[in-house]
Amino acid sequence: MSKAPTGTQLPSSVPSGAEQLTRFLYTAVGGDVTWTDRLGWPYARWQAYLNRPGAETWVAFEHGTPAGYAELDPQPGGVVEIAYFGLIPAFRGRGIGGRLLSYATARAWDLAEREPGREPTRRVWLHTCSKDGPHARANYTRRGFRLFDTRVTREPAVPAPGPWPKAFAPHPREL
């Protein structure tokens, strides 16, 4: 694994029952790139999705502050998708993403060791899109991922939700 920036801790697993933390990470990481597919999910749907056997969420921290996360989605046939992966905007470009992706990929490969009855992982995959950061594709390639398929789809134009209104607007240096 690459050398971690000072203050970066190894990712930690989110315990069962921490749906609110995972939803926070989803909105904080995906707010500026229009992750909207789960915004309307009620608490019960988050709970059911995240508490499935083998589903795991791993969080990277810098100086005790959540910096990003990776979500493992177990699928039939020994397949694991890294369903969501990313960093909160303020933590991008610091080398945290490479370490987090390496860690999440390793956890996907050894998922069966933590999940009794699950067949060993045979394939780990993720998807990317044009909204990903400029270094995302190179990060995936350095971790052993290769291009499998390319699709072009159009999404409806929606405003980026952000973690709160005007979160990405310029801020005055002094209040």
Side-chain angles (χ1 to χ4, degrees), residues 105-128:
T105 302
R107 297 299 65 80
W109 282 111
D110 63 21
L111 182 60
E113 296 172 18
R114 294 183 305 285
E115 189 61 36
R118 179 165 177 81
E119 77 179 88
T121 301
R122 295 184 305 108
R123 178 175 178 241
V124 176
W125 72 284
L126 55 78
H127 59 272
T128 185

